[in-house]
Every structure is written in structure tokens, then in C-alpha cells.
């Protein structure tokens, strides 16, 4: 199921970047360069609600997840923001993905 969650997070990131009405990352109003998002709002909102919960409960994990899936940062850039190593950023991302996976499939 984790692979499905990663795919859903990628779709969610595209949806947020295209201007979807996000709860988990409401400040995003980036210029939509992806040419039209094909992710249905109802599917993206389910993921968005899980991300919003994660951000409230574990803010660092939420930032890591948003930076990776919305901003498309690599582990090095994420690690610099959260003041941790590249490897620790990777581990935090996996933890965040697992947390969202648990929310989506329980």
C-alpha cells in the first residue's frame, strides 16, 4: 500500500502546484506550469486532509513532505531546511509517507 500512497502524494503535489484548494498547504498559489491538473479534487482532498493532520501533529514531518512533494526539493535541500543530514531527511520523508499511509488506509 505504501507505493499507492506515494503515487497519491505525487498526484496531490501536482494538484497543489496547479492551484487546488489545499487544506494542508493553503498558502500555495504557484503558477501552474503543469498545464492542467488531471487529479480529481475529491481524491486530492482526502490526501490533503491527511497531510493537514500530519502537519498539526508532527510539523517537521509535514514540512519535509511538502518540500518533497510540492516544492520538489531533493534530500539535501530538505536537510538544510530542517537542519539535519541528507540521510535523516530521507528517513523523515519515509516516516511521513508511512504516517499518511496509515491515515489513508485505516
Amino acid at each position: 500500500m505504501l507505493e499507492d500512497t506515494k503515487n497519491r502524494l505525487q498526484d496531490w503535489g501536482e494538484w497543489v502546484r496547479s492551484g487546488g484548494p489545499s487544506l494542508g498547504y493553503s498558502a500555495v498559489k504557484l503558477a501552474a506550469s503543469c498545464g492542467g491538473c488531471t487529479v480529481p479534487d475529491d481524491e486530492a482532498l482526502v490526501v490533503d486532509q491527511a497531510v493537514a493532520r500530519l502537519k498539526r501533529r508532527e510539523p517537521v514531518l509535514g514540512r519535509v513532505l511538502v518540500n518533497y512533494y510540492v516544492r520538489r526539493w531533493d534530500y539535501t535541500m530538505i536537510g538544510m531546511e530542517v537542519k539535519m543530514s541528507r540521510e535523516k531527511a530521507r528517513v523523515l520523508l519515509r516516516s511521513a509517507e508511512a504516517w499518511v499511509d496509515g491515515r489513508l488506509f485505516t
Side-chain angles (χ1 to χ4, degrees):
M1 279 194 246
L2 193 55
E3 280 305 312
D4 183 49
T5 298
K6 288 178 184 182
N7 291 335
R8 291 176 75 178
L9 283 165
Q10 287 176 348
D11 290 346
W12 168 79
E14 176 186 333
W15 178 79
V16 172
R17 286 189 304 276
S18 72
S22 173
L23 301 172
Y25 200 63
S26 59
V28 169
K29 287 296 173 195
L30 303 176
S33 61
C34 59
C37 183
T38 60
V39 180
D41 284 344
D42 58 338
E43 289 180 22
L45 280 169
V46 170
V47 175
D48 198 58
Q49 289 171 348
V51 172
R53 285 185 189 139
L54 172 65
K55 288 175 67 178
R56 280 192 305 271
R57 189 167 183 99
E58 298 288 341
V60 172
L61 293 182
R63 282 196 343 243
V64 167
L65 196 75
V66 167
N67 287 338
Y68 187 81
Y69 285 103
V70 176
R71 294 181 174 162
R72 296 182 174 174
W73 287 6
D74 63 21
Y75 298 130
T76 302
M77 292 171 63
I78 295 169
M80 289 172 60
E81 183 186 308
V82 295
K83 296 175 180 38
M84 295 179 188
S85 70
R86 178 183 193 283
E87 183 60 26
K88 180 68 174 178
R90 187 187 67 76
V91 169
L92 290 176
L93 178 63
R94 297 301 169 245
S95 296
E97 291 167 342
W99 195 97
V100 170
D101 186 68
R103 279 289 181 197
L104 294 178
F105 296 104
T106 57

